[in-house]
Amino acid sequence: GAVVSQHPSRVICKSGTSVKIECRSLDFQATTMFWYRQFPKQSLMLMATSNEGSKATYEQGVEKDKFLINHASLTLSTLTVTSAHPEDSSFYICSAQGLAHNEQFFGPGTRLTVL
Amino acid sequence: GEDVEQSLFLSVREGDSSVINCTYTDSSSTYLYWYKQEPGAGLQLLTYIFSNMDMKQDQRLTVLLNKKDKHLSLRIADTQTGDSAIYFCAESIGGQNFVFGPGTRLSVLP
């Protein structure tokens, strides 16, 4: 099946710094990738939809200036959490839409801890 | 808006069958999914069903869809300890706008 990787898997940073998370589709091209946030013991919350070569579409309540998304190629999307604060600590999961369009393949997630 | 609901917890004994239930509200959903999430990991697609089907079987997994009642279930036969995880039900319209349920935490007791 399709494989999606994320890097890093875990990151700890100081408050006020920026953190970049990469999402890669390893064996297929993904014109659309999604970024989710998951709080402990909760479901996934869609943050934004990332389309290759165009601006990301953010869900209501998600600050686009704080969560910068770049989908520079058909296999790579990045999420940058700018000026991170402790409340940004969470599990961030990306997914990539397969060629069949009805499937989403998820990355393993990145656990961000902001001190 | 769309909503997907699941019971939060399920405990079964090893070797028994597990049935995880899900209800959804969007009648225009075209695909319904079951994902598995193990601790600290991303989501793994287990199976999905197109809305014009009422059943899909894949090895130990059986998905039943009652479109009239907007009810989806996942049956795991011969449940093993490795099946312990959180199972998310999700719906989409044509592969867009995925909506996830809260997840059902399945505990398999020896």
Side-chain angles (χ1 to χ4, degrees):
Chain A
V3 179
V4 176
S5 71
Q6 278 184 245
H7 178 79
S9 58
R10 186 180 292 267
V11 57
I12 302 172
C13 68
K14 289 184 178 179
S15 187
T17 60
S18 294
V19 174
K20 181 187 282 188
I21 303 170
E22 294 185 348
C23 176
R24 292 182 187 274
S25 56
L26 297 185
D27 50 1
F28 66 103
Q29 293 183 330
T31 54
T32 304
M33 291 184 172
F34 304 88
W35 286 97
Y36 295 86
R37 185 173 178 177
Q38 185 180 32
F39 291 102
K41 299 184 180 179
Q42 293 189 29
S43 190
L44 283 73
M45 180 191 80
L46 179 64
M47 298 174 67
T49 301
S50 169
N51 294 295
E52 187 267 337
S54 63
K55 289 183 180 179
T57 304
Y58 290 82
E59 295 299 302
Q60 193 172 9
V62 178
E63 298 176 60
K64 61 180 182 181
D65 293 331
K66 181 166 184 63
F67 298 99
L68 300 178
I69 291 172
N70 186 319
H71 195 152
S73 76
L74 287 171
T75 58
L76 174 65
S77 176
T78 60
L79 168 68
T80 301
V81 183
T82 62
S83 186
H85 289 283
E87 57 265 30
D88 298 325
S89 299
S90 192
F91 194 53
Y92 292 86
I93 305 178
C94 74
S95 71
Q97 190 165 53
L99 291 175
H101 292 280
N102 59 303
E103 298 179 12
Q104 280 195 30
F105 299 98
F106 285 80
T110 296
R111 183 160 301 284
L112 169 63
T113 303
V114 184
L115 303 176
Chain B
E2 307 93 351
D3 194 21
V4 177
E5 302 210 354
Q6 301 174 238
S7 53
L8 298 182
F9 300 97
L10 176 66
S11 291
V12 299
R13 293 215 171 269
E14 193 173 10
D16 289 348
S17 292
S18 307
V19 179
I20 303 172
N21 294 301
C22 168
T23 57
Y24 60 98
T25 59
D26 193 342
S27 58
S28 54
S29 298
T30 54
Y31 294 97
L32 296 128
Y33 309 80
W34 284 105
Y35 285 87
K36 177 183 180 182
Q37 184 180 35
E38 298 189 37
L43 272 67
Q44 173 195 358
L45 176 64
L46 289 177
T47 187
Y48 67 91
I49 189 168
F50 190 48
S51 60
N52 69 353
M53 299 167 63
D54 51 22
M55 187 181 92
K56 182 177 180 181
Q57 187 154 3
D58 184 1
Q59 299 183 340
R60 291 192 298 125
L61 306 179
T62 303
V63 178
L64 296 178
L65 174 62
N66 182 327
K67 195 173 180 180
K68 173 176 168 291
D69 295 338
K70 300 191 188 71
H71 181 267
L72 182 75
S73 69
L74 173 69
R75 178 176 180 270
I76 306 172
D78 188 23
T79 312
Q80 303 296 308
T81 54
D83 295 324
S84 293
I86 301 176
Y87 290 82
F88 290 96
C89 168
E91 61 167 1
S92 79
I93 301 172
Q96 302 294 323
N97 300 325
F98 276 63
V99 177
F100 287 85
T104 299
R105 184 179 296 274
L106 174 65
S107 299
V108 182
L109 307 174

